[in-house]
Amino acid sequence: MKRLLSILTVLLLTGCVTRVDLRGTHDLGLVIERSSGSVSIVETTNQSRLGRIEGLGDLSHAHATYSRDGRYGYIFGRDGGLTKVDLLLRRIDRRIMQSGNAIGGSISQDGKLIVVQNYTPGGIKVFNAATLAPISEVPAEYAPGLLSKVVGLADLPGQKFAYALFDAGEIWVTDLTDPAHPVTQRFKAGRQPYDAMVTPDGRYYIAGLFGEDALAMLDLWHPEKGVRKILQGYGRGEEALPVYKMPHLRGWAMVGQHLFLPAIGRHEVLVVDSTDWRETARIPVRGQPVFVMGQPDGRRVWVNFAFPDNGLVQVIDTDSLAVVRTLAPGRGILHMEFTPRGESVWLSARDDNRILVYDTRTLEQMRTLDIPNPSGIFLTNRSSRIGF
Amino acid sequence: MKRLLSILTVLLLTGCVTRVDLRGTHDLGLVIERSSGSVSIVETTNQSRLGRIEGLGDLSHAHATYSRDGRYGYIFGRDGGLTKVDLLLRRIDRRIMQSGNAIGGSISQDGKLIVVQNYTPGGIKVFNAATLAPISEVPAEYAPGLLSKVVGLADLPGQKFAYALFDAGEIWVTDLTDPAHPVTQRFKAGRQPYDAMVTPDGRYYIAGLFGEDALAMLDLWHPEKGVRKILQGYGRGEEALPVYKMPHLRGWAMVGQHLFLPAIGRHEVLVVDSTDWRETARIPVRGQPVFVMGQPDGRRVWVNFAFPDNGLVQVIDTDSLAVVRTLAPGRGILHMEFTPRGESVWLSARDDNRILVYDTRTLEQMRTLDIPNPSGIFLTNRSSRIGF
């Protein structure tokens, strides 16, 4: 009887018969199957793949976020598709085409709104998180008739969202307290912001600039101070290497008061002190960093790289600032995700059709999972975090 | 059909018929019903009480932690009872009496071990998180035949646990990598550590000292440096007030690099800079602080008080360090818990038999829930955090 309850399954007639376990959602996640328009549902306790959901369109640069109850994932496809998937019933709950070309989205602090950032038409759109019904939009019209691509969208405390306008060189902050009537503040940021992130507390919004040798930082507790340039001239006038892949800034790592971030076009990880925003160190690495991600305990930072070094991962000790291990986990390492309390890290090896799970203490490989062309790995604890 | 699926219920013959919703676990929580030996299951999306589980023994100083999948809560009773409850089936899964007098517990980083801290007999005990089968124990024998009360247990990265020995004046760190064979390091801490906490990254373990006008800090990245006394003489030689209730240190608030913590026997909140561990400010408040808790966005710190001021809550702006609001939410405010992303805070008003939910932005009351003699409120996102 006990066993019967613990593996309780429910048979549902949903066109076909689906098997569903009654289970918690805190150890679940989604892996984007880049080329097939599918996502795999995985769980991190036994490190296994539970199932697949198909029919999500173009997932070549897909992002996912979660409902506040952890049951539903929202997948933002490159083609403007927005799909709400049910991780427990393992099927699509709802799906809409919301734009022609999209680049990710976020959920509001209270979990009631989904906001998508679009390239075409440039701007953000706001949807009801339960129904995906459209509520409002903010076209990124920075001058009459000119719409900018939007990048670097981040949810903030207080039903706000920050994002950057690539073509306008601006950062906008939109308050969705009244979701039908967005209120937007504009800030001059610098040339060509290409991605951005917010610190884990939602206070500092930082955009990388492609057109300037600097980053743009906005203190959201003091928006009246405007944007401040930080790390100006970090390239030191040297000629940058050709950029094979833009770094992903959402992966920046905050460790204590230090921020570890990828240099553009350079084989370096930069370390910045968030108390005065000065560079405190730069760490030589084996290639052009793409994701620079801190373990939840801040003890180490993991770095993956652009082509041709995308088979390597380097692990940096945040105390000594030394590279303590260079791993060669597989071909085409596109993404990394730590389990919520950081005992392991999941890596996607796109060209090996595999997910690799590493123990963060021993740095040994614990498990491989066969998943075709995996890219982004998104665990449900993102549901509890600001700025994801 | 859609509605049928969304409110899918399962009828189970478990002595009585139980109704169970298929649902995510990220918005669930438990409220200790102090006097009845029960816990209420609550959810924070619609802010409602879902049910009650009875028969958990003496819950007069109870603590709860969660399984890594978020489905099960572990309730540590004052009488040494350890109960594993199933939040989805809303019933006791397993229950054991593990000691005569206990004071809380924690779960290992990988979720496989439950560790309980005991007064009688003094020490920690290790259990299998799935079955509650005993695995090992570390008696707090600090001198031949002398066992200390254990306080301030915190889980750490790497399957470690830190705790303090009140009678021995020591901090111990036990490595449970091989759970059957614990390996323990001992550190001199100071007179009468009465509670402790670890910073959110699991790096700094800090114990409050009852017998000294200071706190004991251990940098777990550098245990070879031993314990350092911080805030020495923060009472400035003044006579302390009688202590009506010991502060709870697990509530200490880390905001950026600053730690906000309750002074013992003083109407003050102390602010410490974690980069050099010096006091940077002290904030006068209306009573003896018990819990000093930071919002997830760090923007404000909430403080409740010992008798006779236990009907008040003060809200401190962490930027200006000013008290921005004094609330009188009800009688006997024992505990506070923020929702995972901080849009609201739940307060227990023991003597009003109510839970009060406040909006953290407007500081207005949003909801009340009738729950008899509520004390601790524990939301499931603790499952994803270090040191809880």
Side-chain angles (χ1 to χ4, degrees), chain A residues 1-2 5-6 8 10 12-15 20-27 43-46 67-72 86 88-89 91 93-94 107-112 155 157-159 175 177 200-203 221-222 255-257 274-275 296-300 318-319 339-344 360-361 380-388, chain B residues 1-2 5-6 8 10 12-14 20-27 43-46 67-72 86 88-89 91 93-94 107-112 155 157-159 175 177 200-203 221-222 255-257 274-275 296-300 317-319 339-344 360-361 380-388:
Chain A
M1 181 67 180
K2 204 147 244 173
L5 288 173
S6 71
L8 177 77
V10 182
L12 294 168
L13 282 156
T14 59
V20 182
D21 292 336
L22 187 68
R23 58 163 298 140
T25 48
H26 282 73
D27 58 348
E43 61 79 29
T44 63
T45 299
N46 300 303
S67 63
R68 78 188 299 292
D69 64 0
R71 175 173 177 176
Y72 300 98
D86 184 330
L88 295 177
L89 294 179
R91 63 186 195 102
D93 183 72
R94 287 162 199 269
I107 189 164
S108 62
Q109 187 184 24
D110 69 358
K112 293 182 180 165
D155 57 280
Q159 299 292 99
D175 186 336
T177 301
D201 57 4
R203 174 167 183 177
W221 291 13
H222 292 288
V255 172
Q257 86 259 36
S274 69
T275 61
D297 66 359
R299 194 68 185 85
R300 289 171 175 150
T318 58
D319 200 27
T339 53
R341 301 169 88 221
E343 74 279 10
S344 57
T360 53
R361 188 167 35 153
T380 53
N381 65 310
R382 287 169 176 255
S383 158
S384 305
R385 299 182 63 178
I386 295 169
F388 273 80
Chain B
M1 182 65 179
K2 202 147 247 173
L5 289 174
S6 70
L8 176 76
V10 183
L12 294 168
L13 282 155
T14 59
V20 182
D21 292 338
L22 186 69
R23 57 162 301 139
T25 48
H26 281 73
D27 57 348
E43 60 80 29
T44 63
T45 299
N46 300 303
S67 63
R68 78 187 299 292
D69 64 0
R71 174 174 177 176
Y72 300 98
D86 184 331
L88 294 178
L89 293 180
R91 63 185 196 103
D93 183 73
R94 287 162 199 269
I107 189 163
S108 62
Q109 186 183 26
D110 70 357
K112 292 183 180 164
D155 57 280
Q159 298 295 96
D175 186 335
T177 300
D201 57 4
R203 174 168 183 177
W221 290 15
H222 292 289
V255 173
Q257 84 259 36
S274 69
T275 61
D297 66 359
R299 194 69 186 84
R300 288 170 175 152
D317 178 291
T318 58
D319 200 27
T339 53
R341 301 168 89 219
E343 73 279 10
S344 57
T360 53
R361 188 167 35 154
T380 52
N381 65 308
R382 288 169 176 254
S383 158
S384 305
R385 298 182 64 179
I386 295 167
F388 273 80

Side-chain angles (χ1 to χ4, degrees), chain B residues 159-321:
Chain B
Q159 298 295 96
K160 292 182 180 175
F161 291 82
Y163 46 101
L165 283 66
F166 179 83
D167 306 293
E170 294 186 3
I171 291 170
W172 289 13
V173 178
T174 296
D175 186 335
L176 293 173
T177 300
D178 177 355
H181 300 97
V183 177
T184 300
Q185 281 184 288
R186 297 169 60 160
F187 302 88
K188 286 282 166 209
R191 287 184 53 212
Q192 297 176 313
Y194 67 91
D195 197 7
M197 58 84 74
V198 70
T199 49
D201 57 4
R203 174 168 183 177
Y204 298 105
Y205 182 77
I206 302 169
L209 299 175
F210 190 65
E212 285 184 49
D213 194 5
L215 298 109
M217 188 275 288
L218 179 62
D219 179 352
L220 294 157
W221 290 15
H222 292 289
E224 74 283 0
K225 292 185 181 170
V227 166
R228 172 177 164 188
K229 295 277 170 70
I230 62 171
L231 290 182
Q232 255 180 315
Y234 75 78
R236 293 188 191 126
E238 296 167 26
E239 194 172 348
L241 301 169
V243 176
Y244 291 106
K245 184 176 171 72
M246 298 294 268
H248 277 243
L249 301 189
R250 213 176 272 230
W252 283 354
M254 191 84 183
V255 173
Q257 84 259 36
H258 292 103
L259 202 57
F260 287 69
L261 53 96
I264 296 191
R266 311 182 67 80
H267 291 191
E268 288 173 340
V269 169
L270 308 176
V271 188
V272 184
D273 187 330
S274 69
T275 61
D276 58 10
W277 299 103
R278 286 177 205 278
E279 179 185 324
T280 55
R282 51 179 66 195
I283 303 166
V285 288
R286 283 281 290 274
Q288 293 187 12
V290 176
F291 281 103
V292 174
M293 303 185 77
Q295 292 179 190
D297 66 359
R299 194 69 186 84
R300 288 170 175 152
V301 160
W302 293 59
V303 187
N304 72 341
F305 301 102
F307 179 84
D309 302 300
N310 60 356
L312 300 178
V313 168
Q314 288 195 301
V315 184
I316 296 169
D317 178 291
T318 58
D319 200 27
S320 65
L321 302 184

Side-chain angles (χ1 to χ4, degrees), chain A residues 232-245:
Chain A
Q232 257 180 315
Y234 75 78
R236 293 187 190 130
E238 298 166 25
E239 194 173 346
L241 302 170
V243 176
Y244 290 104
K245 183 176 172 70

Side-chain angles (χ1 to χ4, degrees), chain A residues 305-325:
Chain A
F305 301 101
F307 180 85
D309 302 300
N310 60 356
L312 300 178
V313 168
Q314 289 196 300
V315 184
I316 296 169
D317 178 292
T318 58
D319 200 27
S320 66
L321 301 184
V323 172
V324 292
R325 192 75 63 93

